[in-house]
Amino acid sequence: MIQFRNIRKSFGDIRVLDDVSLDVPAGEVFFLIGASGVGKSVLIKHLIGLLSPDRGEIWLDGEEISRFSEKQMFAVRKKCAMVFQHSTLLDSMTCVDNVALPLRKHCNLSVTDARTQAMGLLELVHMRPFANHFPAELGDGMRKRVAIARALGLKPRYILFDEPTTSLDPVSARRVDRLIRELSDNLGVTSVVVSHDLVSIFAIADRIAMLYKGAVRLLGNRNDFQTSSDAIVQQFIQGRAQGPMES
Ligand SMILES: Nc1ncnc2c1ncn2[C@@H]1O[C@H](COP(=O)(O)OP(=O)(O)OP(=O)(O)O)[C@@H](O)[C@H]1O
Ligand SMILES: [Mg+2]
């Protein structure tokens, strides 16, 4: 379980997060939404120690991690993988070698064993037929799935997805959605998904939190969002999201 408690974070004079509290129970597909610049990426970066809060606490599986040392953070990053918005695959390696790389590094596997496991992971994301292709030969959606396979290698309990379907065509986007749902349903992975994609949000989210002006505006399921009488929420889910300064 992930718990954010009263998180505050400023950059210079700008307070991005003022007082954010939310819980993500294990096994959920949890969406974090809100206008561009509201602090969604900033919030999830706190979970893997890329940022630390000015105030507040972050708990992961009953441990307060926000003041962990770099060394302690290492274990957190094994448990909590992040799939970044832009592909971070190495162009000089085939897909299977990209997926095998962290297995060799962190699990001390031989090249052959790492490759065998990597093939299994590519199978999970339905990319096995492309194992020997180079990332540059694939579309964005396929690269995203390979990046997810690589993240799965260290058997994370949590995966953080920063805009997994942004810039994908609709067919690829829905495949990534299905995959995120499968990871939760079949492997028990907990996913935190930052997204603007209303189709994804309403198709696969167990729960959704909307950030607005430094705090959680609404936290609930699809129905709570659709029936909310809050104009700010309605504006967002009807696809008329405004920038953070316009309201
Ligand atoms: N390392 C940083 N240093 C200074 N300012 C930062 C840093 N990271 C983020 N910010 C600022 O914090 C604000 C929130 O950024 P963040 O990337 O979390 O937005 P977001 O909600 O993810 O938006 P988007 O939907 O466009 O990705 C922005 O104004 C951004 O410029
Ligand atoms: Mg972002």
Side-chain angles (χ1 to χ4, degrees), residues 81-94:
M82 181 140 173
V83 177
F84 291 92
Q85 177 169 356
H86 298 289
S87 167
T88 48
L89 299 174
L90 298 174
D91 284 332
S92 58
M93 287 186 178
T94 60

Side-chain angles (χ1 to χ4, degrees), residues 49-182:
L50 295 179
L51 292 172
S52 59
D54 300 334
R55 205 187 75 179
E57 298 178 346
I58 300 153
W59 291 75
L60 187 67
D61 294 337
E63 276 187 311
E64 214 266 285
I65 62 163
S66 37
R67 271 121 203 129
F68 267 17
S69 65
E70 247 328 274
K71 198 170 158 216
Q72 289 172 301
M73 232 33 222
F74 197 73
V76 171
R77 290 187 191 128
K78 261 185 134 166
K79 194 147 82 165
C80 210
M82 181 140 173
V83 177
F84 291 92
Q85 177 169 356
H86 298 289
S87 167
T88 48
L89 299 174
L90 298 174
D91 284 332
S92 58
M93 287 186 178
T94 60
C95 291
V96 65
D97 286 336
N98 263 287
V99 177
L101 191 64
L103 298 170
R104 285 174 52 200
K105 254 199 192 154
H106 297 280
C107 309
N108 261 329
L109 295 182
S110 68
V111 177
T112 319
D113 290 348
R115 278 219 176 129
T116 307
Q117 280 202 22
M119 287 305 258
L121 293 165
L122 287 170
E123 177 83 49
L124 271 178
V125 302
H126 316 291
M127 283 298 290
R128 196 180 171 118
F130 300 92
N132 294 313
H133 285 59
F134 287 90
E137 299 172 310
L138 305 173
D140 289 342
M142 289 185 169
R143 279 206 293 271
K144 186 77 66 172
R145 278 147 57 200
V146 174
I148 294 171
R150 187 183 52 182
L152 286 170
L154 302 180
K155 299 194 172 58
R157 300 179 57 173
Y158 301 95
I159 305 186
L160 316 177
F161 295 92
D162 201 349
E163 309 211 12
T165 60
T166 301
S167 82
L168 298 186
D169 65 83
V171 174
S172 305
R174 303 296 72 85
R175 287 199 76 142
V176 169
D177 284 347
R178 279 201 299 279
L179 178 59
I180 294 172
R181 196 62 254 178
E182 282 171 19

Side-chain angles (χ1 to χ4, degrees), residues 11 14 16 34-43 45 51 85 162-163 194 196:
F11 296 103
I14 300 174
V16 176
S36 187
V38 80
K40 305 177 296 294
S41 300
V42 164
L43 185 66
K45 283 176 183 168
L51 292 172
Q85 177 169 356
D162 201 349
E163 309 211 12
V194 169
H196 286 284

Side-chain angles (χ1 to χ4, degrees), residues 183-197:
L183 298 178
S184 167
D185 295 343
N186 304 340
L187 304 178
V189 168
T190 307
S191 296
V192 178
V193 187
V194 169
S195 182
H196 286 284
D197 185 336

